[in-house]
Amino acid sequence: MTLRVSRRNFVAGSAALLSLSALGTSALAQEKRLRLLWWGSQPRADRTNKVSQLYQTKNPGTSITGEFLGWGDYWPRLATQVAGRNAPDVIQMDYRYIVQYARRGALAPLESYMPAKLDLGDFDKAQIEGGSVDGHLYGVSLGANSAATVLNTTAFKEAGVDLPTQATTWEEFGRMGAEITKAGKRKGMFGIADGSGGEPLFENWLRQRGKALYTADGKIGFDVDDASEWYDMWAKFRASGACVPADIQALDKNDIETNTVSLGKAAAGFAHSNQFVAYQAMNKDKLALTNYMRIKPDSKGGHYRKPSMFFSVSAQSKSVDLAVDYVNFFVKNPEAAVLLDVERGIPESAAMREVVAAKLDENGKVPLEYVSGLGDLAGKLPPPPPAGAGEGELMLRNIAEQVGFGQLSPADGGKQLVDEITQILARG
Amino acid sequence: MSNAMRTPAGAIPVERYQGAVAEGRFRRLWNANAPGYLFLLPWLIGFFGLTLGPALISLYLSFTDFDMLQSPRWVGIANYVRIATADPKFSAAMHVTLTYVVFSVPFKLTFALLVAMALNRGLRGLTFYRAIFYLPSLLGGSVAIAVLWRQLFASDGLVNAALAQIGIEGPSWISHPNYSIYTLVALSVWQFGSPMIIFLAGLRQIPQDMYEAASLDGASKFRQFYKITLPLLTPVIFFNAVVQTIEAFKAFTPAFIISGGTGGPINSTLFYTLYLYQEAFGNFRMGYASALAWILVVIIAIFTAFSFLTSRYWVHYDD
């Protein structure tokens, strides 16, 4: 008897639950809902959420939920959601992945919304180009930045070494690094970070030689000599004490917190311009930004203005119109621009750039002035990297470490890098 | 239908109930066991939906090329062939993982047994110590601990500060390819809590009068340990060894956090599961990663089967 009662209750209860949840979905479906997903830290999340709130107050009846993760966790989550037909409506996208996602049909093409609903009229043309794949627009750039050298100016001054300028070559920079290390003003501090495993650095160096990491058709863009010379330059820096030893560099996990400048192990390190504010916040000393060094006094075009992040709209989204409207608001509304500042890079819209520039504080101006002042050092945006570029980046670092720890000669390292990347690209 | 309407909601109409009895044994069995199945339901859903189902799907995927965005493409045994013949990172990861298993499991078990024996001597405040020693195991997989480990074993960490006191200048242990794996072994040994608790329970099972008899006969402490404690504890040692070996093969978080997901420097912390993760989520090769996962299943199965086969030569159960 008890059995039957409990079973009846169970059936009745689950029926009630089912009808409740059915009610729930229909109630929510009436509302205009958007889901956002981006990577980044808490300050970025705060800014993004404020823009979403602003959008909701201006568009009553819409509800926007945002979620954010760190870079490393972001891509697994996104891939899983896309595979599970549960992708967020608005997706923060990176230059590295946009081709992959676009070609596989995960993103909605947006060019048909221009210019009426998506007004990118005052955008830098090259940066719109950066969000396009096979002639369709799949991403709206949220800001531009460039790779940069971060300088601890206090440490330079203490060591009595002048700061590098736009004219400084790698050779001179190496001598400066060695001087700082030799001055020994701070315990455990070396001149410069070991950049041999850093992909932006290697790419910049290759571009000044007229080469590239990858060609437009997804092949390797450099040869054994390029790579060997690269590893050799850093081996010499290591030997002269200009840069940190390999076991110190290996502490760097490719984020702001573990960069050798943040750890106080190097007076100069390598980063991206939009990270400057965060770097300064972590450091008591006065920091500054400068370009990557020249390979020769007359070489140019190594840098480029990189679309740092895109907003893409999922092809699975049920409310593409609303998503496009939100993205347009994000990049074109002056109030939103003030909230967002230059945290995702310098706004692409000329009008928004002016709005933001007027309100920037001293630290915020540094990246803006740096990127706009690159001059002949800035060149064309390279083509988006092919699938396998992520593996190639790990390989550059892995071999740099083998050379750094003395397990490989620079010449063998260069040969191995070209071999491995060729194989990775062939595998796709 | 009209008949059913008149019966109370949810109750089974009498004639249908009788019909069920006539239908046979299966129905009767179901009626008798329904509450049992009902209570099992959450577990059953979990097992079929979250364990067995995904496992079978991953077995299927291991024979495909699947990038999570497009449909899987059947490639037969190509993934397994590549693992066996043309993947240097597979052997690197295998080497790192086996080194980890071989060093961490024996050290951890020895340490756990020593602490358990110390705690077993009727210490005051035993519960407190048990909790304290168990704590690291609870924190084990956490990011905070991995970060703490980096602080300890970095070039200017506590370990080197201590070494500096005796005039030794240590390297950055955690970021040097020759030592980094051993800092992870140390982390694992430090998390000795769960085998320790099990050892403690095992030690409590050994009758005290055996020790009393042995000391009357003049057996030394060491001899008592060797002749009484160890043999009687072998079932527990066996259990702990099997569980910890499987855990060690599956280790992931510490290496992921400490190396920032790269497995570096120079693949020295490229645990098998970390490599699998890189392939699956870093390079979008879900099919290949599934094949890697199934190879790991087979390797763990072989190790476990080997342990069970050899166990009858050294594990003594009370009759």
Side-chain angles (χ1 to χ4, degrees):
Chain A
M1 209 52 209
T2 30
L3 154 67
R4 233 177 276 173
V5 170
S6 64
R7 187 158 55 180
R8 179 167 57 209
N9 280 350
F10 176 78
V11 171
S14 38
L17 266 177
L18 271 174
S19 53
L20 259 181
S21 61
L23 270 176
T25 41
S26 61
L28 288 172
Q30 283 163 7
E31 229 180 333
K32 292 191 277 177
R33 294 185 79 209
L34 274 188
R35 275 167 59 219
L36 319 179
L37 186 66
W38 68 90
W39 71 85
S41 52
Q42 190 62 46
R44 175 175 300 164
D46 294 340
R47 289 172 192 276
T48 311
N49 288 332
K50 275 185 196 151
V51 172
S52 295
Q53 276 160 20
L54 184 67
Y55 184 83
Q56 286 178 53
T57 44
K58 301 210 176 213
N59 299 273
T62 46
S63 111
I64 297 172
T65 47
E67 221 189 320
F68 70 102
L69 298 107
W71 170 268
D73 302 325
Y74 181 82
W75 297 102
R77 169 78 67 95
L78 179 62
T80 322
Q81 287 189 340
V82 170
R85 304 262 135 218
N86 183 34
D89 303 283
V90 177
I91 303 167
Q92 186 169 307
M93 188 46 66
D94 184 69
Y95 198 52
R96 161 146 288 161
Y97 289 97
I98 193 163
V99 177
Q100 215 164 341
Y101 274 85
R103 292 233 170 102
R104 286 162 185 173
L107 306 179
L110 302 176
E111 66 278 1
S112 59
Y113 293 90
M114 283 164 61
K117 291 205 170 123
L118 186 60
D119 176 18
L120 309 183
D122 65 344
F123 265 49
D124 193 331
K125 288 282 167 297
Q127 303 292 309
I128 298 184
E129 225 25 46
S132 305
V133 180
D134 304 330
H136 298 286
L137 183 72
Y138 288 107
V140 176
S141 171
L142 302 178
N145 69 58
S146 186
T149 306
V150 186
L151 302 171
N152 182 337
T153 60
T154 319
F156 269 78
K157 201 178 285 171
E158 280 172 7
V161 176
D162 289 337
L163 294 178
T165 66
Q166 275 205 351
T168 309
T169 62
W170 276 113
E171 212 183 322
E172 290 160 353
F173 195 49
R175 280 200 294 272
M176 294 159 94
E179 268 179 64
I180 294 173
T181 308
K182 216 162 284 163
K185 292 292 178 196
R186 292 197 197 178
K187 196 175 171 295
M189 186 187 263
F190 292 79
I192 50 184
D194 182 341
S196 57
E199 193 186 74
L201 278 155
F202 182 49
E203 182 184 37
N204 183 291
W205 188 83
L206 285 174
R207 282 162 62 91
Q208 294 189 45
R209 289 162 75 100
K211 304 284 184 75
L213 279 175
Y214 304 104
T215 62
D217 56 350
K219 301 260 160 49
I220 189 168
F222 58 94
D223 59 28
V224 175
D225 286 345
D226 300 318
S228 303
E229 249 183 76
W230 170 253
Y231 285 136
D232 188 53
M233 178 176 89
W234 286 99
K236 284 180 181 138
F237 286 171
R238 232 170 273 125
S240 71
C243 74
V244 300
D247 62 340
I248 301 293
Q249 185 56 41
L251 290 170
D252 183 344
K253 300 308 162 205
N254 215 0
D255 55 28
I256 299 169
E257 288 79 6
T258 56
N259 188 291
T260 47
V261 172
S262 303
L263 295 177
K265 307 278 187 202
F270 307 103
H272 278 94
S273 57
N274 62 325
Q275 298 172 326
F276 179 78
V277 176
Y279 268 104
Q280 184 62 73
M282 285 201 69
N283 216 307
K284 289 195 192 75
D285 298 327
K286 177 97 185 70
L287 303 185
L289 282 186
T290 190
N291 49 283
Y292 286 168
M293 305 307 135
R294 293 187 199 249
I295 59 168
K296 275 183 258 141
D298 59 346
S299 64
K300 52 189 123 189
H303 282 275
Y304 53 89
R305 272 165 49 90
K306 183 187 178 228
S308 41
M309 282 149 230
F310 299 100
F311 261 161
S312 294
V313 176
S314 165
Q316 301 164 10
S317 171
K318 290 187 182 70
S319 36
V320 176
D321 285 354
L322 182 63
V324 169
D325 193 55
Y326 178 83
V327 172
N328 189 57
F329 182 85
F330 207 86
V331 295
K332 290 291 289 188
N333 182 285
E335 285 174 70
V338 170
L339 288 173
L340 292 167
D341 204 72
V342 289
E343 198 276 328
R344 277 186 173 89
I346 293 144
E348 301 287 8
S349 151
M352 293 310 112
R353 209 148 50 217
E354 272 169 40
V355 169
V356 169
K359 306 232 170 189
L360 280 179
D361 65 1
E362 201 186 327
N363 285 336
K365 274 186 190 136
V366 173
L368 185 75
E369 280 162 13
Y370 164 67
V371 175
S372 53
L374 279 172
D376 69 345
L377 284 161
K380 266 183 65 179
L381 184 66
E391 259 178 292
E393 184 181 0
L394 277 183
M395 193 51 73
L396 174 74
R397 178 173 174 148
N398 187 307
I399 294 174
E401 284 171 344
Q402 293 188 48
V403 177
F405 283 107
Q407 299 183 358
L408 266 184
S409 72
D412 290 344
K415 191 179 166 313
Q416 200 175 324
L417 182 68
V418 171
D419 282 354
E420 297 275 1
I421 288 188
T422 312
Q423 275 180 37
I424 289 168
L425 292 176
R427 205 156 61 224
Chain B
M1 196 58 204
S2 62
N3 193 10
M5 296 277 276
R6 261 178 276 122
T7 52
I12 299 172
V14 174
E15 56 273 64
R16 272 183 59 202
Y17 187 67
Q18 284 167 337
V21 173
E23 259 173 50
R25 197 186 274 169
F26 175 77
R27 197 64 189 230
R28 233 176 15 243
L29 213 63
W30 166 253
N31 280 328
N33 295 332
Y37 290 121
L38 213 62
F39 280 113
L40 265 178
L41 201 60
W43 185 85
L44 286 174
I45 292 172
F47 178 71
F48 286 106
L50 299 173
T51 308
L52 191 64
L56 291 178
I57 291 171
S58 97
L59 183 59
Y60 162 72
L61 288 177
S62 73
F63 297 103
T64 66
D65 184 5
F66 179 43
D67 64 5
M68 296 213 272
L69 298 173
Q70 290 164 315
S71 317
R73 192 170 54 85
W74 185 264
V75 293
I77 58 165
N79 288 332
Y80 291 96
V81 171
R82 200 191 129 204
I83 291 172
T85 57
D87 187 356
K89 267 188 133 181
F90 167 76
S91 28
M94 211 54 200
H95 182 251
V96 169
T97 307
L98 285 176
T99 310
Y100 181 73
V101 170
V102 164
F103 281 92
S104 80
V105 175
F107 277 116
K108 186 185 200 166
L109 291 189
T110 310
F111 198 60
L113 181 57
L114 288 177
V115 176
M117 281 171 46
L119 287 184
N120 193 32
R121 309 232 303 242
L123 210 62
R124 268 175 60 183
L126 175 63
T127 6
F128 173 73
Y129 285 111
R130 242 180 354 213
I132 287 292
F133 285 131
Y134 193 67
L135 211 57
S137 300
L138 291 179
L139 301 171
S142 84
V143 173
I145 292 305
V147 171
L148 168 76
W149 227 244
R150 288 179 56 181
Q151 301 291 345
L152 277 178
F153 289 100
S155 57
D156 51 2
L158 271 178
V159 170
N160 276 347
L163 286 176
Q165 295 295 319
I166 52 170
I168 298 173
E169 198 189 336
S172 180
W173 303 94
I174 206 150
S175 58
H176 195 291
N178 293 355
Y179 314 115
S180 57
I181 181 73
Y182 300 105
T183 65
L184 292 176
V185 168
L187 176 58
S188 152
V189 173
W190 182 62
Q191 293 164 346
F192 62 94
S194 66
M196 184 268 288
I197 295 283
I198 296 169
F199 275 136
L200 201 52
L203 288 170
R204 290 283 160 102
Q205 296 295 316
I206 301 173
Q208 275 303 311
D209 48 3
M210 281 196 169
Y211 293 109
E212 280 157 20
S215 39
L216 282 181
D217 287 344
S220 68
K221 283 280 176 206
F222 178 76
R223 204 174 160 77
Q224 287 179 24
F225 171 75
Y226 193 68
K227 288 285 178 186
I228 302 173
T229 314
L230 264 191
L232 288 177
L233 215 52
T234 46
V236 179
I237 295 174
F238 174 60
F239 173 82
N240 270 338
V242 170
V243 170
Q244 292 302 324
T245 306
I246 294 174
E247 287 296 312
F249 269 111
K250 285 161 51 189
F252 173 78
T253 320
F256 180 76
I257 306 290
I258 283 170
S259 74
T262 63
I266 322 181
N267 295 342
S268 62
T269 59
L270 187 70
F271 282 18
Y272 193 90
T273 48
L274 183 54
Y275 176 48
L276 193 160
Y277 174 89
Q278 282 181 0
E279 281 292 300
F281 294 109
N283 306 326
F284 298 104
R285 286 197 204 103
M286 209 32 104
Y288 191 70
S290 296
L292 284 171
W294 277 93
I295 301 246
L296 182 63
V297 169
V298 170
I299 289 170
I300 291 180
I302 290 172
F303 264 77
T304 312
F306 181 75
S307 312
F308 272 89
L309 285 177
T310 54
S311 72
R312 58 178 154 147
Y313 299 110
W314 63 277
V315 178
H316 311 284
Y317 291 97
D318 266 347
D319 292 314

